[in-house]
Amino acid sequence: MTSLSTLANYGQTTIKKTDALLVIDMQYDFIPGGALAVAEGDAIIKPISLLMEKFFTTGATVVCTQDWHPQGHHSFASAHGKNPYDPIEQPGIGPVLWPDHCVIGTKGAMLHEAIPTSSCHAIVRKGYTVNIDSYSAFLENDKKTPTGLHGYLHDRGIRRIFVCGLAFDYCVQFTAVDGSNQNFEAIVIVDCTKAVHSPSTSVEDAIATMKQHAVQFALSSDLSW
Ligand code: VGL
Ligand code: ZN
C-alpha cells in the first residue's frame, strides 16, 4: 500500500485567517478499542491536537465532525441481519455495511477526551438520517442534502480547508472531494489521518479519486504560523 506520507506535494505554507482545519470523526468508536476501530487511529490524536491549538490561536477556523447515528441506522449490518463489512448497494448506503458505531448518546460517539474541543469553533454532526449515511461533512450520501458546513465556512470567508482525522478512505476522502467540488482549496494532512481498509474499496482508489478532484496533500510539518 502507498505510504500516505509519500503523497505530500503541497509544499510549505503559512496558515491564514481564511483557512480552516476540519478534524473528522476523532471519536472513541474509530480509535483502537472502539466498535469500528481504525488501526493506529490513536497515533494521530496528539499531532491533531497540536494542529487544532495552532489553527485556533492563529485566528483560523477549526471544525470537528462527529459521526452521529440513531440506533438501527441503515449503515449498520445489524439493521439488515447481515455481517459487518458485507457488501450492500442501496441508495445512500454502502458499498459495505458496518458494525454498529457512533450511536447517539453512547461513549463510542463522543470525541476522544484528548481532542481539545476548547480549540474548536464548531462541531458538525452527520449521519443522523436513519436511511442515509453521510461520509462527507458537506453532503449526505444522497449527494444532495447539505449538512450546513459549506454555509458556515463560506460565511466565515474560508478559502482553504485542511482535512485530517478518520478514516482516510471514507469520511476524509468524501469531505475533501466535496469541499474541492464546492470551490474550497482542499488539502489532506497525510500524517494526521489513517485508513480503515474495508473490503470493496481501496486506498489507491481513494487517492486516485481525490487527485481527480484536485485535492492536494501536505504534511503537518509543511504548515507554519
Ligand atoms: C466512517 C465508516 C462509517 C468514517 C463513518 O468516519 O470514515 N466510516 N462511518
Ligand atoms: Zn458511520
Side-chain angles (χ1 to χ4, degrees):
M1 193 210 84
T2 320
S3 158
L4 297 182
S5 291
T6 64
L7 289 170
N9 60 357
Y10 193 73
Q12 292 288 321
T13 188
T14 303
I15 298 304
K16 316 182 273 267
K17 290 195 168 119
T18 51
D19 293 328
L21 179 68
L22 307 186
V23 178
I24 306 298
D25 297 0
M26 291 300 291
Q27 295 160 270
Y28 284 103
D29 268 344
F30 294 122
I31 288 164
L36 179 35
V38 177
E40 300 178 350
D42 47 344
I44 61 174
I45 296 171
K46 186 70 192 170
I48 287 176
S49 70
L50 295 174
L51 284 180
M52 289 175 67
E53 282 157 7
K54 285 187 165 158
F55 271 75
F56 192 85
T57 53
T58 297
T61 290
V62 180
V63 176
C64 291
T65 69
Q66 266 177 309
D67 209 36
W68 199 249
H69 298 311
Q71 278 184 14
H73 192 261
H74 293 193
S75 73
F76 298 170
S78 61
H80 303 263
K82 294 196 175 176
N83 292 315
Y85 310 106
D86 281 353
I88 184 155
E89 281 188 43
Q90 182 178 305
I93 299 293
V96 295
L97 290 165
W98 304 106
D100 290 19
H101 65 279
C102 298
V103 174
I104 297 169
T106 64
K107 165 108 190 257
M110 291 171 62
L111 292 171
H112 191 280
E113 62 192 349
I115 292 297
T117 48
S118 49
S119 295
C120 139
H121 297 87
I123 297 176
V124 170
R125 290 170 172 163
K126 61 185 181 61
Y128 38 71
T129 306
V130 74
N131 61 345
I132 309 174
D133 211 349
S134 190
Y135 295 144
S136 160
F138 289 100
L139 285 180
E140 295 188 358
N141 287 6
D142 62 3
K143 302 287 178 204
K144 57 179 191 226
T145 308
T147 62
L149 179 59
H150 176 271
Y152 180 78
L153 296 176
H154 183 76
D155 281 358
R156 291 174 65 81
I158 300 303
R159 295 285 187 68
R160 288 194 299 189
I161 55 171
F162 289 85
V163 188
C164 64
L166 301 170
F168 175 77
D169 36 356
Y170 281 90
C171 292
V172 168
Q173 174 195 182
F174 281 73
T175 298
V177 166
D178 281 350
S180 182
N181 286 342
Q182 296 186 8
N183 290 323
F184 297 104
E185 191 183 352
I187 302 116
V188 173
I189 306 178
V190 286
D191 55 324
C192 290
T193 182
K194 297 285 179 188
V196 64
H197 299 285
S198 77
S200 301
T201 60
S202 77
V203 167
E204 279 68 26
D205 290 346
I207 293 167
T209 302
M210 286 188 271
K211 286 184 173 171
Q212 274 162 21
H213 289 89
V215 174
Q216 299 176 84
F217 303 93
L219 292 167
S220 52
S221 57
D222 291 330
L223 312 187
S224 53
W225 281 268

